[in-house]
Amino acid sequence: MKLLFITPPMGNWAPWGDRHLAVNSLHSQVAGFIREKKSAEVSVLDCRALGLDDDQMLDEIKQRRPDVVFFGAMIAAAGGAAQLNRFHEAMKRIKEALPETITVGGGLMYTAIPKKVMTENRQLDFAIVGVFGDVEYPLSELLEELKKPARNFADIRGLTWRNGDEVVLNPGRPVIGNLDELPMPAYDLFPMDKYYGYSVIPNYNEAVTSRGCEGACHFCYEWWLVDQRNPRDFSTHRTRGGRAVAEEMELLNKTYGVKALTFMDDDFSSDRQKMVDLVEALEEKKLDMSWFCLSRAQNMIRDADLVPRLRKVGMYQVLIGIDGGTDEEIAEAHKGPMKVGVKELKELVQFLRKNDISTISTYLNGFWEDDEAKIRQRAKAVDEIDPDIVMIQLLNPIPGSPIYKKAVKDNVIETDNLSLYDLEHCVMPTKHLTRHQLGELTGWAFQSFYSKPGRIERILNGYSSPYVKMKFLSFKNNAAKYEKGAAEDAVAI
């Protein structure tokens, strides 16, 4: 049995330029597991990293002749649901050329709406409902079943399959409680020398060390990684231990030469003990590596005592979400028991800056009650909080999320084109603004933030890490493309 993990030719999020390339973390983690279980002979084809077009991709697949091909992702920043159109186009080409090849999808969207996706895409044979990337066990069981002359797919929990013309969704399965039981990601299968960050950073890559998030915000894009039958799985946060993470970092640094690493976990620092163990392990290993992570403000505040040590072991930048323009709006996001408003966020940003750690902040426009005044108030609050870099995303109603259910009920979603579900485009208006007006106001907010005197100078010259400057200049060079996407239906992925 030969299993091939495929990333087809496709673009990037506009702010990151045309050459932002990293390992597909879902593929690397699941490939490591399948190989350890000996469920299949495993290989990887990353067309984006190798620069292959559709025809070259197909030629490569014809040469390798896999029995099963797997498509999927668990990182929204790789392009959100827009990736699925690329996946399904590639599956269609494969089926036309090699009709016996079995196609499997897993990860985001396949987990949230598997029956809908399979009904609309006949070229997809199986979809796996794996909460936050828990694809390992159902895929392994599927591969074992495919080896049998008489196959029974009904007993594989977490699998969606075809029984004639009927699409069958099997019962879900519990989440993987202990991520440390999983093997190291199979980085050796990937073209590790081809990856490049933000179009400007060589020796770059990305990793994911946890699954789930304690926040479970009603607007979060990660709802597309959650089984709608078990929404509480969203907030079941699971993480690998700090020493295991340090070992993965050491492998990436010493074996593959990675010097700039981004942790794409939604909340990398949720577990205090993980962070303590990570700091201690990295102090011992003394790696030649700088790293960036996504965190929640309340956890960075909790770990204030670790921040100077985190900087010394390579953490040069942190992304923190800002969930509104007023304390009341931020509180509505239900981020956790700690009160974190504009004042606390501002103090955190200043504290990190004093420790030579840059900040990126994200926030959303496009809630139903948004009008021009609310969007301008949000921009004013972010200006007061004063992070170094701001990335403004547009609310996409993610299937399975509370916002999606209300948007469908109210019939306000204006397009179901998945190519636009990438958090860069407006897909529905607000009560007071058209999609175009919302996109234009978001463009104004970008320009307003970066036009403040001294802000750009601080980003360019205020930190010891060269990556802060490099990432900002890349983002600046692509800002016009981003703004165009926000106001128009220009496909990026």
Side-chain angles (χ1 to χ4, degrees), residues 193 240 420 446:
D193 60 331
R240 296 176 65 203
L420 303 181
F446 269 116

Side-chain angles (χ1 to χ4, degrees), residues 239-260:
T239 185
R240 296 176 65 203
R243 291 197 170 271
V245 174
E247 289 173 5
E248 183 174 349
M249 295 172 73
E250 184 174 37
L251 173 70
L252 288 168
N253 180 233
K254 294 185 176 180
T255 302
Y256 300 108
V258 175
K259 293 191 175 183

Side-chain angles (χ1 to χ4, degrees), residues 471-491:
K471 287 165 71 172
F472 171 72
L473 289 176
S474 174
F475 178 67
K476 177 175 175 287
N477 291 337
N478 292 290
K481 182 180 177 183
Y482 182 89
E483 291 174 21
K484 179 181 176 66
E488 303 175 11
D489 288 349
V491 174

Side-chain angles (χ1 to χ4, degrees), residues 163-217:
N163 185 12
D165 292 332
E166 180 188 7
V167 175
V168 180
L169 173 60
N170 289 350
R173 65 192 306 145
V175 298
I176 300 173
N178 178 16
L179 298 188
D180 282 335
E181 75 183 34
L182 303 177
M184 190 76 77
Y187 291 119
D188 58 295
L189 300 178
F190 291 78
M192 296 295 284
D193 60 331
K194 301 294 185 183
Y195 297 112
Y196 215 81
Y198 310 95
S199 302
V200 294
I201 300 177
N203 305 310
Y204 173 85
N205 231 304
E206 297 174 355
V208 176
T209 68
S210 62
R211 299 178 185 179
C213 179
E214 294 174 342
C217 300

Side-chain angles (χ1 to χ4, degrees), residues 16 128 311 317:
W16 291 353
I128 293 177
R311 179 66 191 97
Q317 194 170 55

Side-chain angles (χ1 to χ4, degrees), residues 4 36 86 104 244 305 327 334 336 347 365 393 406 453-454 462 464:
L4 179 61
E36 181 179 78
R86 300 299 188 193
V104 183
D305 61 312
D327 289 351
H334 303 298
E347 291 174 350
N365 285 335
Q393 297 170 333
K406 187 176 189 310
S464 63

